Amino acid sequence: FDMGRLRQNVSMVNYITRVWAANASLDDVEPITVNGLEAATGVTRVNTKSGPALARLVAVRFQSGRVARFVMVLPDRAPAALIEGLQRMTYSFRQLSPVEAARLKPLRVKAVRVRSGDTVESMAERMPFASYRLARFATLNGLHPGEQLAVGARVKVIGE
């Protein structure tokens, strides 16, 4: 996800093909509407360490002249369930009202020192998420399954 700026008179199809992905060979470019917001999408082939893949680009215009840009990389032969999930995510995107935006508190990455008695599990419990705390903590810190924390080491946690 990325935010860009755009001139008001540029269509989202032109933006995606001539500005954002001007150097890519896009297929299936089409205008779409995401919760009342003008948008466009297209697909390009990319090479990854895991082999060929598809990159789905989605650009959504906000009234403020800003553009939300998403790049979703899918395996070359992505299962239908994965594609459907990404479509649901795309169409759930919407602009927040000023009241909703004012209620939000940004999460931040913090570096903390491991103390005696701290474990991967206890550090993960500090994360302000309802699910996947352990997986998020391990990924954030590049930990392998079963890896322990060293007292005095610095680790990253998410907090308010």
Side-chain angles (χ1 to χ4, degrees):
F1 172 71
D2 178 33
M3 290 293 284
R5 285 235 174 249
L6 123 119
R7 293 188 313 250
Q8 291 295 334
N9 60 347
V10 175
S11 77
M12 293 311 296
V13 168
N14 283 339
Y15 175 80
I16 203 169
T17 58
R18 296 185 182 162
V19 178
W20 181 25
N23 296 324
S25 176
L26 290 177
D27 294 320
D28 303 326
V29 176
E30 63 179 320
I32 58 175
T33 302
V34 175
N35 284 316
L37 301 171
E38 179 191 1
T41 186
V43 177
T44 188
R45 293 194 158 288
V46 294
N47 291 315
T48 69
K49 291 179 183 178
S50 303
L54 298 175
R56 165 71 63 186
L57 282 64
V58 177
V60 181
R61 179 197 305 267
F62 285 100
Q63 291 131 359
S64 63
R66 298 194 61 128
V67 177
R69 303 185 311 190
F70 299 88
V71 177
M72 297 166 266
V73 180
L74 306 154
D76 199 20
R77 293 180 182 13
L82 177 59
I83 294 169
E84 183 181 319
L86 292 174
Q87 286 174 333
R88 279 197 314 272
M89 183 211 59
T90 298
Y91 287 102
S92 72
F93 189 77
R94 65 183 178 83
Q95 188 162 335
L96 297 177
S97 72
V99 171
E100 290 171 313
R103 288 185 193 146
L104 294 176
K105 293 180 182 177
L107 298 177
R108 304 194 188 283
V109 176
K110 297 179 181 182
V112 298
R113 291 213 182 268
V114 176
R115 296 183 182 172
S116 179
D118 284 338
T119 64
V120 171
E121 292 78 11
S122 69
M123 297 297 282
E125 284 301 314
R126 297 181 187 183
M127 305 274 271
F129 303 107
S131 61
Y132 303 109
R133 286 181 181 156
L134 187 57
R136 291 172 196 251
F137 179 77
T139 300
L140 185 62
N141 288 284
L143 300 175
H144 300 288
E147 191 172 346
Q148 300 300 311
L149 300 176
V151 173
R154 294 178 75 75
V155 295
K156 293 172 268 195
V157 295
I158 303 293
E160 292 181 8

